Amino acid sequence: MIATDPATRIDFASLKSGGIIMQREDDFFAIRLRMPGGVIPADKLPMIADVALRYGRGEVRLTARQGIEIPWIRFKDIEAARKRLAEAGLSLGPCGPRFRTVTACPGLPICRKALADSQRFARMIDSRFSGQVLPHKFKATVSACPNACSRPFESDIGFCAATEPRLERDNCNGCNLCLDICKEKALTIEGGLPMLEEGRCTSCADCIDCCPTSARRAERSGYSVYAGGRMGRYPMLGKKIADFVDEEQGMKIIQRCLDFYQSHGNKRERLGDVIIRTGMDEFVAFVLKEG
Ligand code: SF4
Ligand code: SF4
Ligand code: SF4
């Protein structure tokens, strides 16, 4: 990979870090937009189309991480294209060894299964950390229930909302609806009441939603946190490091993950590999320590 072309003195690495990615064909670049949670206001779409038609080849592409790219922009047109996008309030997404734009599922109030406002949390994370320079790329995502549609296990750090149920015995009428609805078969009848079996419950809250008497209620809610996941040539799923954290605690965990990554990570080493090299126990102790 050429960092700087000696003939043109174009610094490709610096362009890429700002969301302008060199294409295979000489002189052409793709511009990647910053879209936390994969959301963009509809009134910005005409400007994206305008830039694609005016400076590109009239096409846009969707990235694997919920973004939009405008390809086929000539080098001479990059500044004009970026200016037009900026005028519409659109900024470019960070690339290279940086904290990348945060992805998220729709969450509340859109998805019927949602237990949290994943979009709000994604925007919070993005506005605090996006673009931060790190040893390698760093991806974060938020899902609003254990269905994990935005694939939190595949990110360097992933959040997955969960709600642990508890039973208010006096309110239970024994209808067994919760037993029927639980996909995990995590409930069994004991003493005439539906009791939770250790280790099977995914905290999806389906049994809370279906209970006609509100006998099933939320005991604890928050995000489960997964660290060290990635896709690519050597895929690896993240490991759970915390349960039922709120947004503020989640932000602290991210900050500590980044501190650990900065101090222990080698250049071009993903967080998952750093965790394997240094040991999960050391990583978790650092990230979750009080104070
Ligand atoms: S993860 Fe859950 S809340 Fe988010 S889109 Fe999927 S089903 Fe809906
Ligand atoms: S759905 Fe509610 S009322 Fe019915 S068995 Fe379950 S906890 Fe009891
Ligand atoms: S929260 Fe979900 S997995 Fe757990 S008992 Fe209720 S329905 Fe089953």
Side-chain angles (χ1 to χ4, degrees):
M1 165 85 193
I2 314 164
T4 305
D5 183 333
T8 58
R9 307 195 72 77
I10 299 170
D11 182 350
F12 295 116
S14 135
L15 281 176
K16 186 177 175 188
S17 71
I20 297 162
I21 302 142
M22 183 174 47
Q23 291 183 198
R24 188 184 181 93
E25 209 166 322
D26 276 354
D27 196 39
F28 286 103
F29 294 79
I31 289 183
R32 181 175 294 177
L33 299 174
R34 182 177 175 192
M35 293 167 48
V39 173
I40 194 159
D43 65 356
K44 311 284 187 207
L45 294 174
M47 182 54 89
I48 296 172
D50 177 70
V51 168
L53 288 162
R54 193 183 290 249
Y55 302 113
R57 292 186 179 173
E59 66 186 56
V60 298
R61 60 177 298 277
L62 303 180
T63 71
R65 295 193 72 249
Q66 303 182 327
I68 287 179
E69 275 178 8
I70 310 171
W72 301 111
I73 311 281
R74 286 192 182 278
F75 180 74
K76 69 177 177 54
D77 293 326
I78 286 175
E79 215 30 64
R82 180 159 46 190
K83 195 158 168 261
R84 283 187 80 77
L85 292 167
E87 280 164 11
L90 293 164
S91 54
L92 307 195
C95 264
R98 280 171 176 70
F99 198 113
R100 303 290 185 86
T101 305
V102 183
T103 58
C105 79
L108 289 174
I110 289 177
C111 181
R112 284 177 54 244
K113 291 282 185 188
L115 306 172
D117 190 341
S118 47
Q119 288 285 325
R120 180 184 63 201
F121 192 27
R123 286 193 301 275
M124 277 173 71
I125 297 169
D126 198 82
S127 66
R128 169 94 67 91
F129 299 108
S130 179
Q132 203 174 113
V133 178
L134 293 161
H136 203 353
K137 63 180 85 164
F138 190 96
K139 299 176 180 178
T141 190
V142 186
S143 279
C145 88
N147 283 350
C149 296
S150 61
R151 308 199 299 269
F153 319 124
E154 299 173 11
S155 288
D156 297 272
I157 190 150
F159 293 87
C160 194
T163 294
E164 185 181 62
R166 77 178 152 85
L167 180 67
E168 299 226 333
R169 292 163 176 258
D170 292 347
N171 291 346
C172 179
N173 66 11
C175 70
N176 286 352
L177 269 177
C178 54
L179 267 87
D180 293 341
I181 205 141
C182 179
K183 292 188 187 82
E184 316 304 332
K185 306 280 177 245
L187 297 167
T188 49
I189 296 293
E190 283 172 35
L193 292 170
M195 304 306 288
L196 212 55
E197 227 181 278
E198 276 297 311
R200 297 189 78 107
C201 178
T202 58
S203 300
C204 69
D206 283 354
C207 56
I208 298 173
D209 285 347
C210 81
C211 180
T213 65
S214 301
R216 277 274 165 223
R217 300 211 178 167
E219 173 73 12
R220 291 188 292 171
S221 286
Y223 286 102
S224 301
V225 188
Y226 296 81
R230 62 152 186 252
M231 282 291 109
R233 288 187 191 201
Y234 306 103
M236 191 158 70
L237 294 183
K239 301 273 187 307
K240 195 196 273 194
I241 60 166
D243 257 327
F244 302 112
V245 304
D246 62 23
E247 290 172 347
E248 198 186 323
Q249 292 165 323
M251 296 293 271
K252 279 188 190 152
I253 287 174
I254 298 172
Q255 183 60 63
R256 295 195 72 86
C257 275
L258 298 182
D259 292 345
F260 186 90
Y261 192 28
Q262 291 283 27
S263 59
H264 293 76
N266 297 318
K267 197 173 174 195
R268 296 195 58 76
E269 189 180 31
R270 291 290 291 270
L271 178 66
D273 291 321
V274 182
I275 294 172
I276 290 170
R277 183 165 55 74
T278 56
M280 190 54 144
D281 291 347
E282 186 181 338
F283 171 71
V284 171
F286 182 91
V287 168
L288 301 184
K289 84 173 168 211
E290 296 293 324

